[in-house]
Amino acid sequence: MRSLVLTGGTTPRQMYGLLAGMPVEWGRVTLLFGDERCVPPNDPESNYRMAREALLSRVDAGAVLRIPGELGAEAAAAIYDAAVGRMQPLDLVLLGIGEDGHCASLFPGHPALSATGWAVAVHDAPKPPPDRVSLTLGCLRNARRVIFLVTGAGKADAFRKAQAGEVPAGMIPGAEWIADREAAS
Ligand code: 6PG
């Protein structure tokens, strides 16, 4: 595995802690992000900050491709698009799912869902903060392997809709799902 894409949110934090202790040749791995909020990297809302605390500070990754969200969505998306374009196809993408069925920062009915290229600027996201950068659906579909992590009864409806292909998290053919009993109920 050369490239591992980390998901944001709260679900993966514990899993990142376990991952940090696994025998991975981290020096050969480039760590990337499925999405990022347009906040500074030390902001409590930053996906990079969560990953740094739970994983990046504990492994010596070959490279970390941080999304510079603090530059604003358009500038950060342009920079990240070029970097991710040089990494295609991504080897392993980890994703979470929101209660509305979004994944990364691709929300139901949002124009960013139909973006081309590898990364897209997202405005007016229904989940705050409103300005984000996300990998595109095409980029996620191009990955060699995609694994969703889903926990809790609050995700059961979204999980069901994803299995029916009704929400963005259900639009990645071949994606694998790791769901706890509550989410899969
Ligand atoms: C984000 C995440 C987002 C997340 C889901 C689930 O930046 O908000 O990337 O896609 O994975 O919203 O979040 P939780 O794990 O906190 O439920």
Side-chain angles (χ1 to χ4, degrees):
M1 171 182 67
R2 283 185 326 124
S3 50
L4 170 60
V5 178
L6 302 177
T7 178
T10 56
T11 303
R13 191 177 189 112
Q14 188 179 358
M15 191 268 297
Y16 290 163
L18 297 173
L19 203 52
M22 294 176 74
V24 174
E25 286 188 75
W26 291 105
R28 296 162 49 94
V29 178
T30 295
L31 293 173
L32 303 93
F33 293 82
D35 69 336
E36 184 56 276
R37 295 85 178 274
C38 290
V39 295
N42 284 325
D43 189 294
E45 286 288 299
S46 164
N47 288 335
Y48 170 80
R49 173 174 162 161
M50 185 273 282
R52 187 187 63 211
E53 291 169 351
L55 179 63
L56 307 185
S57 58
R58 301 172 58 192
V59 299
D60 192 11
V64 176
L65 282 187
R66 184 179 72 84
I67 304 173
E70 68 278 12
L71 302 178
E74 271 67 23
I79 292 166
Y80 198 52
D81 181 88
V84 173
R86 290 191 289 270
M87 299 288 299
Q88 294 301 312
L90 298 171
D91 289 316
L92 174 56
V93 178
L94 301 178
L95 289 172
I97 181 173
E99 297 191 356
D100 61 359
H102 77 263
C103 62
S105 285
L106 301 174
F107 294 87
H110 196 285
L113 256 180
S114 53
T116 56
W118 310 112
V120 60
V122 178
H123 298 289
D124 305 319
K127 175 180 179 182
D131 287 350
R132 295 158 167 258
V133 175
S134 180
L135 292 181
T136 60
L137 192 54
C139 182
L140 298 176
R141 285 172 168 166
N142 196 46
R144 290 198 170 93
R145 192 173 182 192
V146 175
I147 301 178
F148 279 89
L149 309 170
V150 198
T151 60
K155 301 290 178 73
D157 185 47
F159 180 62
R160 185 183 52 73
K161 286 178 179 169
Q163 302 315 305
E166 296 169 3
V167 292
M171 297 175 183
I172 304 167
E176 300 163 59
W177 294 79
I178 299 175
D180 69 5
R181 258 190 296 279
E182 289 75 15
S185 62

